[in-house]
Amino acid sequence: MPKRPEPETGPVAPARGGRAAAAPPGGADPTTDAARQRLALAQTALLSALLAGTPDPEGFDRARLRVQSRALTAKRADVVAKVAPELPGILGPAYREAFLGYARHRPMGGGYRQDAMGFAAYLLDRGRPEDPAARRELRRWRRERARRRPASARPLARLVRALRQALLPG
Amino acid sequence: MQHLGTGIGWRPEIADAIAELPGVDWVEVVAENICPGHLPDALRELRARGTTVIPHGVSLGLGGADRPDTGRLTALAERATALDAPLVSEHIAFVRAGGPLTASPRMEAGHLLPVPRTRDALDVLCENVRIAQDALPVPLALENIAALINWPGEELTEARFLTELVERTGVRLLIDVANLHTNHVNRGEDPAVALDGLPLEALAYVHVAGGVERDGVWHDSHAHPVTRPVLDVLAALCARTTPPGVLLERDEDFPGYGELAGELDAIRRVRKEACRAEAA
């Protein structure tokens, strides 16, 4: 038995999507525009300090910002290594430091696959890795990745998959 | 609120163990990691056995300044339908910034970041939640996140912020007790005080996860065993209400069957003891 019984006429009266019955219909509410603008500026200032090394916004604990910043970059390096395991494979133990160098002033703008490609381009533009064989391998990897497109972007593949789903039982 | 029972976060790395674990009533799956037309066999088997599967989104960023992206909302709705889920969950967080409102390039955090507890942020969040609710076929539950940083100039306590959010939108809550512990260590926020102020009648379910303390900072890693202080927060929550569901999350350094079974047992014990204390 819950120790706090549910109120009989509480705010939680879920209809479709769990909306409170009294809430106005959804969609854009222009009255939040000013709040959105202020929030956008605050969140952007924080995120660019964390991801791009711009000056810390006022009032934050600087030491904590550094901890958060390092945690974000470390996670990004881990996820990129997962979606493109060839990169740590080619770079070996130098992967992490090289990635941190790349990420320091380059916030991720798209997904992790795009980030992996950006990292490869960053290295190759700087004549890295220094070992010519590794550089060749990285160039080959980048070429092959660039050619590969996500399946959902190919109309024919999408059609084939839709047909297969429609025709197969269960 | 629908009864869910004891569950575990489904990840491909522990799919075999989950299939064998006794008494797993339900699982949660990271919404962005599955494709509605190509559900992994192991998940389909769980569904066939009657195990409830709930999609848990991480990329909507409902606490962000922009209105939620229609494509992302549609994708989450499709997953809820494909899994026949009774509800979906997301986070009270922002995950990206920049873009047209700020005349700067768009940036992805790749992680959940805390929303400032201000009137502005609450107004924006409430509208974003209503937009999401209209796009989803089932109720939405939102999770409190673990934070390393504090926003300056906050106007509301966590409890006030969440209570108003629930009152204004009817959204349900997913309370992560590990995150309450994180905010205790990192921001000095007493979990008992937080629990006392939360609108627990809106509770959909509870998350439990492990982490590690380094240099006085709690890292909610989901890669370490569940610790006693986190179970103590669960017990404190169970002393106040009976959660419809409790779910164990593990995302990295996956342990074997034995350790997972032990952690699920520890969670069941906490719930049982809370029931017994209430009966006494």
Side-chain angles (χ1 to χ4, degrees):
Chain A
M1 276 297 279
K3 289 205 168 159
R4 278 194 192 184
E6 289 195 23
E8 278 177 32
T9 51
V12 187
R16 181 174 181 272
R19 277 279 297 268
D29 170 6
T31 58
T32 59
D33 284 353
R36 285 184 188 279
Q37 179 82 57
R38 289 188 293 266
L39 186 62
L41 292 173
Q43 290 181 338
T44 302
L46 173 60
L47 206 49
S48 52
L50 293 173
L51 302 179
T54 58
D56 295 339
E58 290 283 306
F60 283 92
D61 178 322
R62 281 160 180 249
R64 275 303 164 77
L65 289 181
R66 297 287 75 78
V67 175
Q68 180 71 80
S69 173
R70 275 197 301 274
L72 291 177
T73 314
K75 184 175 174 188
R76 184 173 159 193
D78 288 344
V79 180
V80 167
K82 249 180 219 169
V83 303
E86 300 85 357
L87 293 179
I90 294 168
L91 296 170
Y95 167 78
R96 216 168 173 82
E97 209 188 316
F99 188 87
L100 299 188
Y102 154 77
R104 195 163 295 132
H105 300 291
R106 289 174 190 76
M108 188 165 68
Y112 287 102
R113 282 179 178 79
Q114 201 179 314
D115 205 25
M117 292 295 282
F119 176 43
Y122 159 89
L123 290 175
L124 291 169
D125 285 351
R126 282 158 185 75
R128 291 163 62 192
E130 274 164 31
D131 170 33
R135 208 161 55 238
R136 234 181 350 262
E137 210 182 328
L138 182 60
R139 211 174 289 126
R140 192 181 315 128
W141 175 84
R142 185 186 170 204
R143 229 179 8 249
E144 280 168 17
R145 267 286 167 122
R147 220 178 290 138
R148 238 194 289 163
R149 305 206 63 86
S152 59
R154 288 180 295 156
L156 184 61
R158 210 164 50 206
L159 179 67
V160 169
R161 205 170 59 212
L163 282 174
R164 203 186 305 140
Q165 269 164 39
L167 297 174
L168 285 180
Chain B
M1 216 61 74
Q2 174 164 344
H3 172 81
L4 293 166
T6 304
I8 184 166
W10 188 90
R11 307 288 181 264
E13 293 89 341
I14 47 172
D16 290 345
I18 291 174
E20 302 295 321
L21 282 167
V24 170
D25 306 311
W26 63 294
V27 299
E28 193 187 63
V29 58
V30 176
E32 286 79 357
N33 290 354
I34 56 159
C35 180
H38 295 80
L39 294 180
D41 289 342
L43 258 190
R44 281 215 307 264
E45 279 158 28
L46 285 175
R47 280 293 305 128
R49 271 156 52 177
T51 308
T52 299
V53 183
I54 292 182
H56 183 55
V58 296
S59 67
L60 277 184
L62 291 174
D66 290 317
R67 293 187 173 84
D69 177 72
T70 312
R72 288 181 202 277
L73 281 174
T74 307
L76 186 56
E78 284 170 357
R79 278 144 187 84
T81 304
L83 294 165
D84 195 20
L87 68 146
V88 298
S89 54
E90 246 287 352
H91 299 84
I92 299 169
F94 81 101
V95 298
R96 59 185 68 85
L101 283 178
T102 62
S104 50
R106 191 158 281 296
M107 294 172 281
E108 293 283 337
H111 195 70
L112 304 158
L113 293 173
V115 173
R117 292 174 204 140
T118 58
R119 287 275 153 211
D120 273 352
L122 182 60
D123 289 346
V124 169
L125 175 63
C126 285
E127 197 202 338
N128 287 352
V129 168
R130 286 196 289 262
I131 293 169
Q133 287 169 324
D134 280 347
L136 294 170
V138 290
L140 171 68
L142 289 184
E143 178 176 0
N144 60 314
I145 68 157
L148 282 172
I149 48 179
N150 276 321
W151 281 88
E154 292 194 309
E155 299 159 349
L156 302 158
T157 62
E158 170 102 25
R160 190 69 235 147
F161 191 87
L162 293 178
T163 301
E164 281 204 34
L165 172 67
V166 166
E167 281 170 1
R168 287 167 62 176
T169 63
V171 80
R172 298 172 184 192
L173 293 181
L174 157 50
I175 296 298
D176 189 319
V177 290
N179 293 353
L180 290 180
H181 175 66
T182 307
N183 292 348
H184 188 202
V185 178
N186 296 354
R187 317 215 282 190
E189 297 166 358
D190 184 349
V193 173
L195 285 173
D196 280 338
L198 289 181
L200 291 178
E201 65 278 2
L203 184 63
Y205 61 93
V206 175
H207 270 174
V208 177
V212 65
E213 191 168 332
R214 263 188 235 119
D215 305 325
V217 175
W218 184 264
H219 293 262
D220 180 47
S221 67
H222 296 197
H224 296 82
V226 175
T227 57
R228 192 67 238 175
V230 170
L231 289 174
D232 288 343
V233 182
L234 176 64
L237 186 148
C238 289
R240 287 162 172 82
T241 188
T242 302
V246 180
L247 183 122
L248 172 68
E249 283 188 298
R250 183 79 178 225
D251 290 319
E252 259 171 90
D253 289 341
F254 294 99
Y257 172 92
E259 198 177 323
L260 292 173
E263 296 204 326
L264 287 171
D265 276 342
I267 289 170
R268 288 190 196 99
R269 261 198 310 278
V270 169
R271 301 187 76 181
K272 220 177 280 167
E273 275 160 25
C275 280
R276 211 173 299 138
E278 198 176 338

